[in-house]
Amino acid sequence: MSGKSYKILISRVIPEVGISLLKDKCDLEIYQGEGVIPRQQLLQKIRHVDGLLCLLSESVDRELLDSAPRLKVVSNYAVGYDNIDVSYATEKGIVITNTPDVLTDATADLAWSLILAAARRVAEGDRLMRGKGFPGWSPLFLLGQDLKGKTLGVLGAGRIGTAVVERSRGSNMRILYFDRQTSDVLERDFSARKVSLPELLEKSDIVSIHLPFSRETHHLIDEKAISGMKKSAVLVNTARGPIIDEPELVNALREKRIAAAGLDVYENEPQITPGLTALENVVLTPHIGSATIQTRNDMARITAANLLAVLEGREPEAIVNPQLLKISK
Ligand code: DGY
């Protein structure tokens, strides 16, 4: 051993700012391979570490947690933590941390990129220009949806859902939201109305998803939900893929039961449902909601700082299972 206080596994190369926060105090092992660390390697390496800094592609389940006798903290390089069995980790006294706030604006910007691109058929136009070419201006060519004065429905009125609503100001949209909690900010500043899911789907021109993934939100947007949407509606998902029943969405888009969709996340990443890429009325991005230089640096800093804070007995900036704070001090 190097004489450094803690042994840490980092499951993928992250921006240098995170590494430099850790390297003086920790003995770091950084997985250098292409893509996701193979499960067997992860299970092997986790045996010897005090902390794991991982991505949403790593399943931190019972098997992994039971293979980690020294593990005190898992610092997830994401705000979402549906890849982690938080209740089992809590039972075992392992602190889980994440990266809220720092990726709110980047993700809200991406949601709006998808809203605009899907509503105005931007990707379809780009494909056409590069393929068949520009057939010339025409009154009925590539017509999309206006946004001004339309209704924006957000599923989830947390940080990102709120930031998406804030960005609708220029289009003077009516706002509906679906959430367990009442959002004072949305109601006060945007005259938003909290409604049931069926009402939101029935009345919204744009539906944007910003809920965490859980058993309750699995396939929340299924065949029945889609059938309650307007034929002219645009559905956007920058949250988690399994919130939408993806094969059902493919059917609905193919049959033009809704106008368009914009997706950044998929049910079985990195696989996507066959048929999706053949459709013109969907804009697809490869899970890049938080992919800006600034945001990824901020995520690296906060994951590293969270990890170190827990190991040194300090309160991390963001903790998923705060009930453990007393234990870890
Ligand atoms: C998250 O943080 O949960 C995103 O999906 C990845 O940035």
Side-chain angles (χ1 to χ4, degrees), residues 56 76-82 99 103 107 238-240 264-265 287-291 296 299:
L56 48 87
N76 211 33
Y77 191 84
V79 63
Y81 45 84
D82 47 287
T99 65
L103 45 68
T107 309
T238 52
R240 283 293 182 267
D264 186 48
V265 289
H287 205 148
I288 53 170
S290 64
R296 289 287 165 85
M299 288 169 73

Side-chain angles (χ1 to χ4, degrees), residues 3 5 26 32 63 85 91 97-98 105 108 110 133 148 161 180 182 184 187 199 210 232 258 272 300 315 317 319 326:
S5 312
C26 306
Q32 300 284 344
E63 182 190 31
D85 186 338
E91 229 175 83
T97 67
N98 67 338
D105 289 316
L110 202 265
K148 191 103 188 172
R180 276 200 216 133
T182 296
D184 295 336
E187 300 202 358
E199 183 176 352
H210 305 290
S232 55
I258 61 171
I272 62 173
E315 191 168 327
E317 276 176 57
I319 180 165
K326 285 188 201 80

Side-chain angles (χ1 to χ4, degrees), residues 235-254:
L235 174 65
V236 165
N237 190 8
T238 52
R240 283 293 182 267
I243 296 175
I244 298 181
D245 182 335
E246 205 167 275
E248 283 304 337
L249 177 63
V250 170
N251 291 337
L253 289 167
R254 190 181 288 128

